[in-house]
Each structure stands twice: as C-alpha cells, then as structure tokens.
Amino acid sequence: MLRTVIIQLWNRRRSSLSIILELFCVCCLMWYITDYLFVYACNCSIPSCRDTNHAWQVNLSVYPSDYSGFRAEENTPEACLANFERILRVLRDHPDVETTGVCDDMSIPGSGSYFGQGFVQPDDTTNTVWGQMISISPLADFFRVFGYTRDGGRTPVSMHDFDWSNPGAVVISRSAERALFPGGENAVGRELGRGSWRERVVGVVDDIKRFDFLRPQHAFYRPQKITGEQLMNPSGNVAVFVRSRANISDSRFSENFMKEMSDALQIGNFYLEDIVACSSVEARITHMFGYTNEVRVRICLMVFFLLNILLCVLGTFWYRVNIRRSETGLRKAMGASKRSVRSHFFLEGLCLLAVAALLAMIVEAQFVKAGLIETLGKSENDLPGYLPDRTALRFLITNAITTVTLALVILGAIWIPAQKAASVPPVDALRDE
C-alpha cells in the first residue's frame, strides 16, 4: 500500500505541494513553540528546596511623628530594636504560627529582587562565581519559614543548624559549592574571598530558583544584623515572615491573624498593616515579568496553528475524496474493506507530513546551529547532564513531539472524509464514473 500511495502522491504532486508547504511552515512554527514549552516544563520539573506555601509576609509600619498615637520615648534605636524583638516573640507565640523569619527586602523569596555578589577561592582567584546574596537575620528562622532542605531534600534546615557567631559566616547553595569547588570537595569550613573580605562557609543547603520556570541559581546566605536606626526608618529594608501550620487553611489563617494580631502588634510605634501570602506574591511577580502571558500566547498560537492544519487537511481531503469516487468504488468492488480505504487516505496524509517534517528539520537545524533558540535560565546555572543542554537529543525530542502532535491532528482531520469514502457503495461510485 505504501508504494501505491507514494506513486499516487507523485502523480498528484502539484496538488500535494500546497499541503506540503503549509505543513512545512506549521512544522517550523510548532517546533519553535514546542521547544520553548519543553524547556519551560523541564525547568519547572527541577525541584527547589524553597517552599512559599503557608508562608506569609507580615507588613509592619511605623507611626509618623505627627500621629496622635506616636510615642516619642519609643523612637530611639534601643527602644525600636527591643520592640522589634518583642514583635517577633508575639508572632512566634501565636497558636497558628509555626515559626518566624526575617530578611532584607532584596531577599524576599519570589519577589523577583536580585542582589548579585561574586565569590572566589583564595587559592584560585580566576574562578569568580556569581550568585544571589540573601541577607537573613539570626533573630528568627528564615530557613524553616520557607522549608529549606539539604542532602537533596532529605533533611529540613533550620537557622540553628549553623554557627552564625563568626561575622564572616556564610551558607552557600549546592550549585555554588560545585562551581567553587569543582573537584567535589566539601565547602564547609573553607574560606571564600569577596574583595578584600574573607568569609567562611558554615553550611551548604539545596538549590533554589528565582522563579519556578528557571533553573536553580547560585545563592549565598549571610547573617544580617538588625539595627535600631534601620527600624526607625518607615521605609526600612526589613521584611518579616511567618509560616502558618499546615493544618490551618490559608483563608482561615489570614482572617483570624488580622483580627487577633492587629492590637497585639501595636508595640511602641509599630503596628500591623497587613499580611500577604508569599505564594500570591510569587505568582503576581511572575505575571508582572511577562512570563505567564508569554506561555499563554505561545499556547494560543499553537492551538491556532493546529486548528489551521485541521481545517486545511479536512478541506483538501474532502475534495480529494469527491474527485476520486470512481477509484474508491473500483477498489471496493475488487474486495477492499472499509478499513483498507480509510488506511489508504490516512497513509497519504502521513506521507505528506513526513516530507514536510523532514524539510522542516533541515531548516530548524540551521536555527539551532546559529544559536537562535532560547534556553531559559541557561546563564543561571549549567546543570551537568541537563536534558535541554544536550542539543541533539533535545532537537530530536521536540521534533518528535511536534510531528506526533501534527500526525494526530491530520489523522483526525482525514477521518471524516475517509469515513465518507469508505461508506459509499461501489455501485454508486462507479455509476458516477
């Protein structure tokens, strides 16, 4: 049957050429979108040791000096620091709060903020490893609030697991350890250089991702000393977090927390403004950066292209069936079954797709060779053996996905005219001839 189909397509090569050209264009466009979504999905599948679920940012404000409730005696560095530590104790004692955390506003998880810093080994100053510097306060347990882990996610991490007494203490991510010590050495206890400053690694935690669709990034965690002068500033860069207990729903926690803590957190000149779910902040920032819309646009374009092919193939084969009624009737009169007639038309469609896909792969290979295909997050961290970085395998997989998807659409489009052709009685078809 395949040989017969190829001969018939060659004899009708002029009418088949338009379908091949359209399939060729759609193959190229579909592959480009499929490649992007494939890398996106691969990045999303990489686990992150940070979890923003059940984590809340507690927004505190300071009364202005012209407010009637402002207390001048509480507006000193010492009083502000003491009141802030009291606020942390009140938060920690709330029955629905599991733990609290503090960091600077450039280190808020999921906020999109990024403060880069480069580190080197004192013995090898040529290898500078850049990553995000995350400043966290030992006054609370930032790691527990966001569910940090180590040992590949097997061990939960707490701030108390590390010795922060050294002013140069720093905790690094696993990817940063691999980059700074490529020989597989243990980084704990080793010194790192940052300009003229020397810091000592006191621990290693698993990797985090700036956004879920990106690859893990290098990260460095240093202790941040909270000062009274910093807290006196209404626009101070201190962010406070709590983690609600898993058995409490987010809606219930948010409602009860605001009712119960509005008065309890009016300490000194501080007051509770509101609380925000960190997961919602992460979703909003992702949308703000445009990646959510970009994925939606690409999916809509893919659906449009598939619908276009569906209608094109449906119309073309409907026409082919009508002008080949006598051929179909003759084949049925000679004993061909309905299934054989349908298979003949299905095979025609797949042969047209095979030619178009082969031509498309030749053109796509030139785009790959020229480096015009985007690889999300590649600059952040090159993971050893990561599938999207294995260009040849990635190229074959994404083309296979594209071809199979188009094949299913084409078979679905051919089904109606093929079923019609298979159902025509041979006597009626031959009478038309």
mmCIF file of all heavy atoms in Angstrom, residues 273-313:
data_model
loop_
_atom_site.group_PDB
_atom_site.id
_atom_site.type_symbol
_atom_site.label_atom_id
_atom_site.label_comp_id
_atom_site.label_asym_id
_atom_site.label_seq_id
_atom_site.Cartn_x
_atom_site.Cartn_y
_atom_site.Cartn_z
ATOM 1 N N GLU A 273 0.169 46.359 59.453
ATOM 2 C CA GLU A 273 -0.516 46.916 58.278
ATOM 3 C C GLU A 273 -1.356 45.843 57.588
ATOM 4 O O GLU A 273 -2.550 46.005 57.400
ATOM 5 C CB GLU A 273 0.513 47.501 57.309
ATOM 6 C CG GLU A 273 -0.120 48.248 56.150
ATOM 7 C CD GLU A 273 0.938 48.929 55.295
ATOM 8 O OE1 GLU A 273 2.102 49.008 55.726
ATOM 9 O OE2 GLU A 273 0.579 49.376 54.192
ATOM 10 N N ASP A 274 -0.737 44.755 57.199
ATOM 11 C CA ASP A 274 -1.460 43.627 56.626
ATOM 12 C C ASP A 274 -0.501 42.447 56.498
ATOM 13 O O ASP A 274 0.691 42.557 56.813
ATOM 14 C CB ASP A 274 -2.074 43.975 55.262
ATOM 15 C CG ASP A 274 -1.019 44.297 54.205
ATOM 16 O OD1 ASP A 274 0.184 44.329 54.543
ATOM 17 O OD2 ASP A 274 -1.385 44.522 53.036
ATOM 18 N N ILE A 275 -1.033 41.302 56.056
ATOM 19 C CA ILE A 275 -0.204 40.146 55.738
ATOM 20 C C ILE A 275 -0.519 39.716 54.304
ATOM 21 O O ILE A 275 -1.651 39.871 53.833
ATOM 22 C CB ILE A 275 -0.403 38.979 56.724
ATOM 23 C CG1 ILE A 275 -1.849 38.466 56.677
ATOM 24 C CG2 ILE A 275 -0.014 39.376 58.125
ATOM 25 C CD1 ILE A 275 -2.042 37.177 57.450
ATOM 26 N N VAL A 276 0.494 39.200 53.635
ATOM 27 C CA VAL A 276 0.356 38.802 52.236
ATOM 28 C C VAL A 276 0.935 37.403 52.076
ATOM 29 O O VAL A 276 2.028 37.113 52.575
ATOM 30 C CB VAL A 276 1.086 39.784 51.291
ATOM 31 C CG1 VAL A 276 0.911 39.351 49.842
ATOM 32 C CG2 VAL A 276 0.584 41.204 51.488
ATOM 33 N N ALA A 277 0.217 36.541 51.377
ATOM 34 C CA ALA A 277 0.705 35.193 51.104
ATOM 35 C C ALA A 277 1.881 35.266 50.136
ATOM 36 O O ALA A 277 1.783 35.875 49.071
ATOM 37 C CB ALA A 277 -0.403 34.331 50.525
ATOM 38 N N CYS A 278 2.992 34.654 50.491
ATOM 39 C CA CYS A 278 4.185 34.691 49.633
ATOM 40 C C CYS A 278 3.949 33.991 48.302
ATOM 41 O O CYS A 278 4.522 34.374 47.284
ATOM 42 C CB CYS A 278 5.365 34.056 50.367
ATOM 43 S SG CYS A 278 5.920 34.982 51.815
ATOM 44 N N SER A 279 3.098 32.967 48.293
ATOM 45 C CA SER A 279 2.798 32.282 47.028
ATOM 46 C C SER A 279 2.071 33.201 46.063
ATOM 47 O O SER A 279 2.307 33.160 44.854
ATOM 48 C CB SER A 279 1.965 31.033 47.304
ATOM 49 O OG SER A 279 0.764 31.364 47.997
ATOM 50 N N SER A 280 1.188 34.071 46.580
ATOM 51 C CA SER A 280 0.483 35.012 45.700
ATOM 52 C C SER A 280 1.428 36.093 45.187
ATOM 53 O O SER A 280 1.295 36.548 44.047
ATOM 54 C CB SER A 280 -0.699 35.648 46.440
ATOM 55 O OG SER A 280 -0.254 36.468 47.515
ATOM 56 N N VAL A 281 2.383 36.498 46.020
ATOM 57 C CA VAL A 281 3.384 37.465 45.569
ATOM 58 C C VAL A 281 4.212 36.868 44.442
ATOM 59 O O VAL A 281 4.475 37.524 43.421
ATOM 60 C CB VAL A 281 4.300 37.887 46.742
ATOM 61 C CG1 VAL A 281 5.458 38.738 46.253
ATOM 62 C CG2 VAL A 281 3.503 38.634 47.792
ATOM 63 N N GLU A 282 4.604 35.611 44.603
ATOM 64 C CA GLU A 282 5.402 34.942 43.581
ATOM 65 C C GLU A 282 4.635 34.847 42.262
ATOM 66 O O GLU A 282 5.184 35.110 41.185
ATOM 67 C CB GLU A 282 5.784 33.540 44.074
ATOM 68 C CG GLU A 282 6.772 32.822 43.197
ATOM 69 C CD GLU A 282 7.253 31.526 43.833
ATOM 70 O OE1 GLU A 282 6.514 30.951 44.658
ATOM 71 O OE2 GLU A 282 8.367 31.089 43.514
ATOM 72 N N ALA A 283 3.333 34.497 42.333
ATOM 73 C CA ALA A 283 2.521 34.396 41.117
ATOM 74 C C ALA A 283 2.348 35.764 40.466
ATOM 75 O O ALA A 283 2.409 35.899 39.237
ATOM 76 C CB ALA A 283 1.159 33.792 41.456
ATOM 77 N N ARG A 284 2.157 36.797 41.270
ATOM 78 C CA ARG A 284 1.965 38.144 40.719
ATOM 79 C C ARG A 284 3.240 38.656 40.062
ATOM 80 O O ARG A 284 3.190 39.260 38.980
ATOM 81 C CB ARG A 284 1.534 39.096 41.837
ATOM 82 C CG ARG A 284 1.359 40.540 41.395
ATOM 83 C CD ARG A 284 0.751 41.362 42.521
ATOM 84 N NE ARG A 284 1.526 41.272 43.746
ATOM 85 C CZ ARG A 284 2.598 42.012 44.007
ATOM 86 N NH1 ARG A 284 3.032 42.890 43.121
ATOM 87 N NH2 ARG A 284 3.246 41.892 45.149
ATOM 88 N N ILE A 285 4.385 38.418 40.676
ATOM 89 C CA ILE A 285 5.644 38.888 40.101
ATOM 90 C C ILE A 285 5.960 38.134 38.812
ATOM 91 O O ILE A 285 6.442 38.718 37.832
ATOM 92 C CB ILE A 285 6.786 38.729 41.122
ATOM 93 C CG1 ILE A 285 6.535 39.620 42.336
ATOM 94 C CG2 ILE A 285 8.114 39.079 40.485
ATOM 95 C CD1 ILE A 285 6.448 41.106 42.015
ATOM 96 N N THR A 286 5.675 36.836 38.780
ATOM 97 C CA THR A 286 5.883 36.062 37.553
ATOM 98 C C THR A 286 5.037 36.632 36.425
ATOM 99 O O THR A 286 5.491 36.773 35.286
ATOM 100 C CB THR A 286 5.532 34.587 37.790
ATOM 101 O OG1 THR A 286 6.343 34.066 38.850
ATOM 102 C CG2 THR A 286 5.765 33.769 36.537
ATOM 103 N N HIS A 287 3.796 36.977 36.736
ATOM 104 C CA HIS A 287 2.918 37.584 35.735
ATOM 105 C C HIS A 287 3.432 38.952 35.330
ATOM 106 O O HIS A 287 3.395 39.326 34.154
ATOM 107 C CB HIS A 287 1.500 37.679 36.298
ATOM 108 C CG HIS A 287 0.487 38.170 35.311
ATOM 109 N ND1 HIS A 287 0.233 39.506 35.114
ATOM 110 C CD2 HIS A 287 -0.310 37.492 34.453
ATOM 111 C CE1 HIS A 287 -0.697 39.634 34.176
ATOM 112 N NE2 HIS A 287 -1.048 38.436 33.765
ATOM 113 N N MET A 288 3.949 39.714 36.293
ATOM 114 C CA MET A 288 4.453 41.057 36.017
ATOM 115 C C MET A 288 5.671 41.011 35.096
ATOM 116 O O MET A 288 5.837 41.867 34.216
ATOM 117 C CB MET A 288 4.826 41.759 37.332
ATOM 118 C CG MET A 288 5.268 43.212 37.178
ATOM 119 S SD MET A 288 5.787 43.918 38.769
ATOM 120 C CE MET A 288 4.274 43.729 39.713
ATOM 121 N N PHE A 289 6.511 40.008 35.271
ATOM 122 C CA PHE A 289 7.682 39.869 34.416
ATOM 123 C C PHE A 289 7.316 39.417 33.005
ATOM 124 O O PHE A 289 8.162 39.398 32.120
ATOM 125 C CB PHE A 289 8.675 38.874 35.031
ATOM 126 C CG PHE A 289 9.630 39.506 36.008
ATOM 127 C CD1 PHE A 289 9.188 40.099 37.177
ATOM 128 C CD2 PHE A 289 10.994 39.511 35.762
ATOM 129 C CE1 PHE A 289 10.063 40.686 38.072
ATOM 130 C CE2 PHE A 289 11.887 40.090 36.652
ATOM 131 C CZ PHE A 289 11.418 40.683 37.808
ATOM 132 N N GLY A 290 6.073 39.033 32.801
ATOM 133 C CA GLY A 290 5.586 38.718 31.469
ATOM 134 C C GLY A 290 5.660 37.265 31.067
ATOM 135 O O GLY A 290 5.199 36.910 29.984
ATOM 136 N N TYR A 291 6.211 36.397 31.919
ATOM 137 C CA TYR A 291 6.394 35.008 31.514
ATOM 138 C C TYR A 291 5.074 34.245 31.479
ATOM 139 O O TYR A 291 4.879 33.360 30.644
ATOM 140 C CB TYR A 291 7.384 34.310 32.446
ATOM 141 C CG TYR A 291 8.790 34.806 32.263
ATOM 142 C CD1 TYR A 291 9.357 35.702 33.152
ATOM 143 C CD2 TYR A 291 9.547 34.396 31.179
ATOM 144 C CE1 TYR A 291 10.644 36.173 32.978
ATOM 145 C CE2 TYR A 291 10.841 34.864 30.997
ATOM 146 C CZ TYR A 291 11.377 35.747 31.900
ATOM 147 O OH TYR A 291 12.650 36.209 31.723
ATOM 148 N N THR A 292 4.148 34.587 32.374
ATOM 149 C CA THR A 292 2.845 33.925 32.360
ATOM 150 C C THR A 292 2.117 34.215 31.056
ATOM 151 O O THR A 292 1.583 33.311 30.402
ATOM 152 C CB THR A 292 1.998 34.384 33.553
ATOM 153 O OG1 THR A 292 2.709 34.115 34.771
ATOM 154 C CG2 THR A 292 0.672 33.653 33.586
ATOM 155 N N ASN A 293 2.097 35.485 30.659
ATOM 156 C CA ASN A 293 1.444 35.854 29.402
ATOM 157 C C ASN A 293 2.165 35.251 28.200
ATOM 158 O O ASN A 293 1.533 34.868 27.213
ATOM 159 C CB ASN A 293 1.387 37.373 29.257
ATOM 160 C CG ASN A 293 0.315 37.988 30.142
ATOM 161 O OD1 ASN A 293 -0.648 37.316 30.502
ATOM 162 N ND2 ASN A 293 0.476 39.243 30.500
ATOM 163 N N GLU A 294 3.498 35.183 28.281
ATOM 164 C CA GLU A 294 4.262 34.637 27.164
ATOM 165 C C GLU A 294 3.908 33.170 26.923
ATOM 166 O O GLU A 294 3.735 32.742 25.778
ATOM 167 C CB GLU A 294 5.756 34.779 27.427
ATOM 168 C CG GLU A 294 6.621 34.362 26.263
ATOM 169 C CD GLU A 294 8.090 34.669 26.483
ATOM 170 O OE1 GLU A 294 8.400 35.383 27.471
ATOM 171 O OE2 GLU A 294 8.908 34.204 25.682
ATOM 172 N N VAL A 295 3.776 32.402 27.985
ATOM 173 C CA VAL A 295 3.393 30.999 27.842
ATOM 174 C C VAL A 295 1.985 30.892 27.274
ATOM 175 O O VAL A 295 1.711 30.069 26.386
ATOM 176 C CB VAL A 295 3.490 30.280 29.201
ATOM 177 C CG1 VAL A 295 2.892 28.879 29.119
ATOM 178 C CG2 VAL A 295 4.943 30.203 29.650
ATOM 179 N N ARG A 296 1.078 31.730 27.756
ATOM 180 C CA ARG A 296 -0.296 31.690 27.255
ATOM 181 C C ARG A 296 -0.348 32.037 25.775
ATOM 182 O O ARG A 296 -1.082 31.402 25.001
ATOM 183 C CB ARG A 296 -1.161 32.663 28.054
ATOM 184 C CG ARG A 296 -1.424 32.221 29.493
ATOM 185 C CD ARG A 296 -2.166 33.292 30.267
ATOM 186 N NE ARG A 296 -2.413 32.874 31.644
ATOM 187 C CZ ARG A 296 -2.889 33.688 32.583
ATOM 188 N NH1 ARG A 296 -3.163 34.946 32.290
ATOM 189 N NH2 ARG A 296 -3.081 33.236 33.811
ATOM 190 N N VAL A 297 0.417 33.049 25.371
ATOM 191 C CA VAL A 297 0.423 33.449 23.957
ATOM 192 C C VAL A 297 0.936 32.313 23.089
ATOM 193 O O VAL A 297 0.374 32.002 22.027
ATOM 194 C CB VAL A 297 1.278 34.719 23.765
ATOM 195 C CG1 VAL A 297 1.553 34.966 22.289
ATOM 196 C CG2 VAL A 297 0.578 35.931 24.369
ATOM 197 N N ARG A 298 2.012 31.654 23.533
ATOM 198 C CA ARG A 298 2.577 30.563 22.739
ATOM 199 C C ARG A 298 1.613 29.384 22.654
ATOM 200 O O ARG A 298 1.504 28.743 21.608
ATOM 201 C CB ARG A 298 3.918 30.123 23.330
ATOM 202 C CG ARG A 298 5.011 31.173 23.143
ATOM 203 C CD ARG A 298 6.285 30.770 23.847
ATOM 204 N NE ARG A 298 7.283 31.834 23.803
ATOM 205 C CZ ARG A 298 8.355 31.851 23.040
ATOM 206 N NH1 ARG A 298 8.573 30.846 22.204
ATOM 207 N NH2 ARG A 298 9.206 32.854 23.069
ATOM 208 N N ILE A 299 0.909 29.091 23.734
ATOM 209 C CA ILE A 299 -0.065 28.005 23.692
ATOM 210 C C ILE A 299 -1.223 28.355 22.755
ATOM 211 O O ILE A 299 -1.690 27.513 21.977
ATOM 212 C CB ILE A 299 -0.575 27.701 25.107
ATOM 213 C CG1 ILE A 299 0.550 27.094 25.954
ATOM 214 C CG2 ILE A 299 -1.768 26.750 25.065
ATOM 215 C CD1 ILE A 299 0.175 26.837 27.399
ATOM 216 N N CYS A 300 -1.677 29.619 22.810
ATOM 217 C CA CYS A 300 -2.761 30.048 21.915
ATOM 218 C C CYS A 300 -2.322 29.977 20.455
ATOM 219 O O CYS A 300 -3.104 29.570 19.579
ATOM 220 C CB CYS A 300 -3.200 31.469 22.270
ATOM 221 S SG CYS A 300 -4.098 31.592 23.825
ATOM 222 N N LEU A 301 -1.079 30.370 20.181
ATOM 223 C CA LEU A 301 -0.572 30.267 18.809
ATOM 224 C C LEU A 301 -0.505 28.815 18.355
ATOM 225 O O LEU A 301 -0.833 28.488 17.205
ATOM 226 C CB LEU A 301 0.813 30.910 18.713
ATOM 227 C CG LEU A 301 0.857 32.439 18.736
ATOM 228 C CD1 LEU A 301 2.297 32.924 18.783
ATOM 229 C CD2 LEU A 301 0.146 33.017 17.520
ATOM 230 N N MET A 302 -0.094 27.937 19.256
ATOM 231 C CA MET A 302 -0.022 26.519 18.901
ATOM 232 C C MET A 302 -1.418 25.984 18.569
ATOM 233 O O MET A 302 -1.603 25.255 17.578
ATOM 234 C CB MET A 302 0.596 25.724 20.055
ATOM 235 C CG MET A 302 0.694 24.235 19.782
ATOM 236 S SD MET A 302 1.456 23.325 21.138
ATOM 237 C CE MET A 302 3.166 23.831 20.957
ATOM 238 N N VAL A 303 -2.408 26.344 19.385
ATOM 239 C CA VAL A 303 -3.781 25.910 19.114
ATOM 240 C C VAL A 303 -4.258 26.462 17.779
ATOM 241 O O VAL A 303 -4.918 25.770 16.999
ATOM 242 C CB VAL A 303 -4.716 26.356 20.263
ATOM 243 C CG1 VAL A 303 -6.171 26.073 19.912
ATOM 244 C CG2 VAL A 303 -4.342 25.644 21.559
ATOM 245 N N PHE A 304 -3.913 27.722 17.494
ATOM 246 C CA PHE A 304 -4.308 28.323 16.220
ATOM 247 C C PHE A 304 -3.694 27.569 15.040
ATOM 248 O O PHE A 304 -4.377 27.289 14.043
ATOM 249 C CB PHE A 304 -3.882 29.791 16.188
ATOM 250 C CG PHE A 304 -4.053 30.448 14.845
ATOM 251 C CD1 PHE A 304 -5.295 30.842 14.399
ATOM 252 C CD2 PHE A 304 -2.947 30.658 14.020
ATOM 253 C CE1 PHE A 304 -5.452 31.435 13.154
ATOM 254 C CE2 PHE A 304 -3.089 31.254 12.782
ATOM 255 C CZ PHE A 304 -4.347 31.640 12.346
ATOM 256 N N PHE A 305 -2.404 27.241 15.131
ATOM 257 C CA PHE A 305 -1.748 26.519 14.048
ATOM 258 C C PHE A 305 -2.365 25.126 13.859
ATOM 259 O O PHE A 305 -2.571 24.677 12.728
ATOM 260 C CB PHE A 305 -0.252 26.391 14.311
ATOM 261 C CG PHE A 305 0.487 27.699 14.287
ATOM 262 C CD1 PHE A 305 1.540 27.943 15.162
ATOM 263 C CD2 PHE A 305 0.125 28.699 13.408
ATOM 264 C CE1 PHE A 305 2.218 29.143 15.141
ATOM 265 C CE2 PHE A 305 0.792 29.904 13.380
ATOM 266 C CZ PHE A 305 1.840 30.128 14.247
ATOM 267 N N LEU A 306 -2.655 24.453 14.965
ATOM 268 C CA LEU A 306 -3.257 23.130 14.863
ATOM 269 C C LEU A 306 -4.651 23.201 14.247
ATOM 270 O O LEU A 306 -5.027 22.351 13.427
ATOM 271 C CB LEU A 306 -3.326 22.483 16.251
ATOM 272 C CG LEU A 306 -1.983 22.103 16.886
ATOM 273 C CD1 LEU A 306 -2.193 21.571 18.296
ATOM 274 C CD2 LEU A 306 -1.254 21.067 16.035
ATOM 275 N N LEU A 307 -5.419 24.212 14.636
ATOM 276 C CA LEU A 307 -6.742 24.390 14.047
ATOM 277 C C LEU A 307 -6.635 24.698 12.559
ATOM 278 O O LEU A 307 -7.433 24.209 11.738
ATOM 279 C CB LEU A 307 -7.487 25.513 14.777
ATOM 280 C CG LEU A 307 -8.916 25.806 14.301
ATOM 281 C CD1 LEU A 307 -9.800 24.580 14.496
ATOM 282 C CD2 LEU A 307 -9.495 27.003 15.059
ATOM 283 N N ASN A 308 -5.630 25.494 12.200
ATOM 284 C CA ASN A 308 -5.406 25.828 10.798
ATOM 285 C C ASN A 308 -5.109 24.572 9.976
ATOM 286 O O ASN A 308 -5.655 24.368 8.879
ATOM 287 C CB ASN A 308 -4.248 26.815 10.701
ATOM 288 C CG ASN A 308 -3.960 27.230 9.277
ATOM 289 O OD1 ASN A 308 -4.855 27.648 8.560
ATOM 290 N ND2 ASN A 308 -2.709 27.125 8.867
ATOM 291 N N ILE A 309 -4.244 23.715 10.490
ATOM 292 C CA ILE A 309 -3.921 22.462 9.808
ATOM 293 C C ILE A 309 -5.146 21.541 9.734
ATOM 294 O O ILE A 309 -5.395 20.880 8.724
ATOM 295 C CB ILE A 309 -2.750 21.765 10.522
ATOM 296 C CG1 ILE A 309 -1.453 22.512 10.216
ATOM 297 C CG2 ILE A 309 -2.622 20.326 10.107
ATOM 298 C CD1 ILE A 309 -1.086 22.530 8.748
ATOM 299 N N LEU A 310 -5.900 21.500 10.820
ATOM 300 C CA LEU A 310 -7.099 20.666 10.846
ATOM 301 C C LEU A 310 -8.049 21.046 9.715
ATOM 302 O O LEU A 310 -8.530 20.186 8.958
ATOM 303 C CB LEU A 310 -7.790 20.811 12.199
ATOM 304 C CG LEU A 310 -9.092 20.020 12.381
ATOM 305 C CD1 LEU A 310 -8.812 18.532 12.453
ATOM 306 C CD2 LEU A 310 -9.834 20.486 13.627
ATOM 307 N N LEU A 311 -8.327 22.342 9.573
ATOM 308 C CA LEU A 311 -9.248 22.801 8.539
ATOM 309 C C LEU A 311 -8.656 22.606 7.146
ATOM 310 O O LEU A 311 -9.363 22.241 6.198
ATOM 311 C CB LEU A 311 -9.605 24.267 8.777
ATOM 312 C CG LEU A 311 -10.367 24.565 10.076
ATOM 313 C CD1 LEU A 311 -10.578 26.064 10.242
ATOM 314 C CD2 LEU A 311 -11.701 23.830 10.107
ATOM 315 N N CYS A 312 -7.358 22.873 7.015
ATOM 316 C CA CYS A 312 -6.696 22.724 5.714
ATOM 317 C C CYS A 312 -6.757 21.279 5.225
ATOM 318 O O CYS A 312 -7.161 20.997 4.087
ATOM 319 C CB CYS A 312 -5.256 23.205 5.804
ATOM 320 S SG CYS A 312 -4.237 22.785 4.370
ATOM 321 N N VAL A 313 -6.365 20.353 6.080
ATOM 322 C CA VAL A 313 -6.344 18.940 5.695
ATOM 323 C C VAL A 313 -7.769 18.423 5.481
ATOM 324 O O VAL A 313 -8.032 17.653 4.549
ATOM 325 C CB VAL A 313 -5.604 18.113 6.762
ATOM 326 C CG1 VAL A 313 -5.707 16.620 6.461
ATOM 327 C CG2 VAL A 313 -4.150 18.538 6.833
#
